[in-house]
Structures are given as structure tokens and as C-alpha cells.
Amino acid sequence: MDVVDELKRLVSIPSVTGNEGDIGRYIFNRFRELGCMAELFQVSKNRYNVFAVLPGDGKSDGDSYARNLCLLFHAHMDTVPPYKMKKPFEPVVTEGYLWGRGSVDQKGGIAAVIGTFQKLASDSKRMKRLRESGKRIGFIGVIDEESEHRGSMAMKEMGIGAGYAVVTEPSGLKVGVGCKGTVPVRVTVHGKSSHGCRPWLGKNAIEYAMRIARDVIDSELPVMEIYGMGNLEDPVNLGKTSATINLGIIQGGVAYNIVPDECVLWFDRRLIPGENPDDAVEAIKGIASRYNKINNIKIKVEVARPDWNWEPIKKRGLRPALTPLDSRIVTVAREAHEEITGEKPIVYFTDGYNEMDFLVNDLGIPTIQYGPGDAALCHTNEEKMNIEELKSSVDVYSSIIEKICR
Ligand SMILES: [Zn+2]
């Protein structure tokens, strides 16, 4: 199947987080059709990670099959909801773009890997060489990336291991070498209520929350330089990055004439490589405790996100990751990109988060992010895949395999 049709099929199977059963079975069957070893790994009820390996025959010996991969492609199969997108699951192609929910984030990456495996599987000479070398290429499709990351968390349990990995999230065909981590922090300030005409009898939780918010926002955050990144056309990414904090939600108050007894602040703290989520939370606790002591109000600081109920992810957090720029996977991806597109790729570090975190930090695999599509379109009502990029990514992935799995 042509890679554009492949993406159409994938987009037409809804897979909003929590409902990845159908897409998982479809992708599993596609890899089977291509002659891969493929398996469905149940993560939770009717929610499966898909794991596939090429070549799919011979030398299959259970666990070590998953562990000794030369190269692993990683993708998440879930999408955000359609929101106000028109016809989210009826993909149409116009003016070089394929529209649909998930077309960029990130079924384009999945279609590109299927396209790459199809290309390889139909090339008998390359398959023969691969079989003789004993090298295997893997694909892992995970669930739940847009929420609690249960799919990628399960990779450890699945026993997956590889020399190198490519996260196929959209990068606009730039080579991503790292990502920030993120820790969601909720600060709950408990004051004391009173009538608004006698505020001195109460403790205004909103006022204290405002001071705490100011201090948290003004606190100094670490900065780092990552040498060798970017190029002159991309001055934003010349190698400097810093941790950030965003106060996204403030909740509090009942009526204008009542002293509020509770105020909740929700922060999104982004971490740079080398930072630990626990330390970031401790720093906010430190600020809160100053008010605790002085005014004897109660303040609770905890890791919390409106959609996180699962304890393991609260405990683990989402960590930053960085693959050294002299790692072989970075060099090879640069060469492959230039070979196919005729242009030197931009190498960058993303302010966003992606699941290279799990590959780098849990499995110890040097990983890059490289995928088709404009990341700025993720989660929007205008999500559409650039078809040129989609096609190029198949060729670049093939070239990466050729170079790294000799
Ligand atoms: Zn994504």
C-alpha cells in the first residue's frame, strides 16, 4: 500500500486515548501481513502495545528477540479528541496535505514506519543481507501517550532493548536530540473564611496564593547550553535552553464579599536535562513553607495533573532526555537526511516533551526524534500532514536502517 493510503487508513480508525483497541489490532495485522513477527501486549483492558520485528522468521527465541534489536522505531497510537475539527476521521487530501485527527500526531510516523518495513520486506536482496547479519529492526506502538504514558511505561516489562531508537513524533524532518521533562504541580492554599466586611478575622487564601505564585514564578531556573545544535537559519535553536514554569490555572473564591478559605494553583514546570522532578517539587515546597511558617496557613504542594489518577506516573514523572550529539544515531540520521533531501538537517532540542524519555532514561537507548509533519499543528483543528515530508521520511528511515544495521 502507498504511504498516503496507509495514513488515510490509520486516520480513519479513531484512537482517542483510552480507545486504542481497534488501531492496535489493525497495526498488528499490517505488520503480520508484511511478514514481521508481531505481538499485542496488553497494557490494560482492551488496550495493547503493538510490537513488531523484521525479519520475522528464524532466530526467534522469546525474550532475546525483543532485546537484541539493532534499531527500534517508536510511535504512539493514541490521539487527542477531535475537539472542533471538521471530519476528523474522514481523511481528505488537498494541496499536498492530508487532513485528519492524528495525521501529524502521530499516525504519519506510524505510516512512515509501515511504509519503510514494506519497502524493506519487498527487497529480497536487502532482506537476505539482514537475515545473514542477524540484525533485526523493531517497531513499538504504544497507547496512552497523551495522558498517563502507560504504554511507554510498559516497555521495560516487555523486555525491549535496542542499540538505537527513533521516536517518530513529528519534527518537520529535523533531528531532535533531546526533550524537556515536565512536572505538574498543584499548590493548595488553605486560609480562613470570614465576612468580606471584616477581612481581619479571616486569612485570605487568594492573597497568599498570589504571593506564593509571584515567588515561584520569580525563582531562578537553570539554563544550559547544548553545543553543536541548530544552524544559522534557525537562530532559536542555537543551543541554549532553560527550564520554565507556567501558572496555568488559578481556582478560588466563592463570592466577592467572602474572604476565600481556599485557592489552588496549577503549575507546569518544564525541566532541562540534568534536572530531577523531585528537586523541582522540593523547590516549590521550600517557597510555600516560608508562608506556612510566617502566617500559619496550611499549604499543600503535590504532583498532580487534572487527568492523572495513576500512581506510577505521578511517582515517576516525565523526565528530560538528551542523546549526545556525537552518538552514532545522530550522525547517521544527519547523513541519511542529507542524502535523501539534499539539505543539511537542523539538529535541535525540543521545548516539548516526548517519550524518548522512557527510551533514554528507562531503557538506556540512544534515541533521536525524527518524523514527518509540523509539530505546531498537533492538537489543533487544522491538523494536516505534509505529504512530501511523509514520503521523504520513508526514504530517510530506510537509509538510516541501511547505515546502522549493516
Ligand atoms: Zn504525539
Side-chain angles (χ1 to χ4, degrees), residues 144-162:
D144 205 34
E145 191 274 346
E146 302 288 359
S147 185
E148 295 177 315
H149 304 269
R150 292 174 195 235
S152 275
M153 195 89 121
M155 289 194 298
K156 233 180 180 175
E157 199 187 323
M158 292 174 75
I160 288 175

Side-chain angles (χ1 to χ4, degrees), residues 76 78 104-106 145-146 169-170 353-354 378-379:
H76 68 82
D78 59 321
V104 177
D105 189 13
Q106 60 125 107
E145 191 274 346
E146 302 288 359
E169 288 262 31
Y353 170 80
N354 71 59
C378 297
H379 305 193

Side-chain angles (χ1 to χ4, degrees), residues 303-357:
V303 175
R305 214 173 91 165
D307 63 330
W308 276 8
N309 299 306
W310 195 49
E311 284 307 317
I313 195 65
K314 290 191 207 168
K315 217 171 149 209
R316 182 193 181 279
L318 300 174
R319 296 179 203 152
L322 183 63
T323 293
L325 272 103
D326 58 0
S327 168
R328 188 152 167 249
I329 186 67
V330 179
T331 311
V332 160
R334 277 179 147 151
E335 288 170 8
H337 176 92
E338 191 173 354
E339 184 185 295
I340 301 302
T341 66
E343 280 165 32
K344 283 196 190 307
I346 290 168
V347 177
Y348 78 116
F349 175 88
T350 180
D351 293 314
Y353 170 80
N354 71 59
E355 290 190 331
M356 71 174 6
D357 164 18

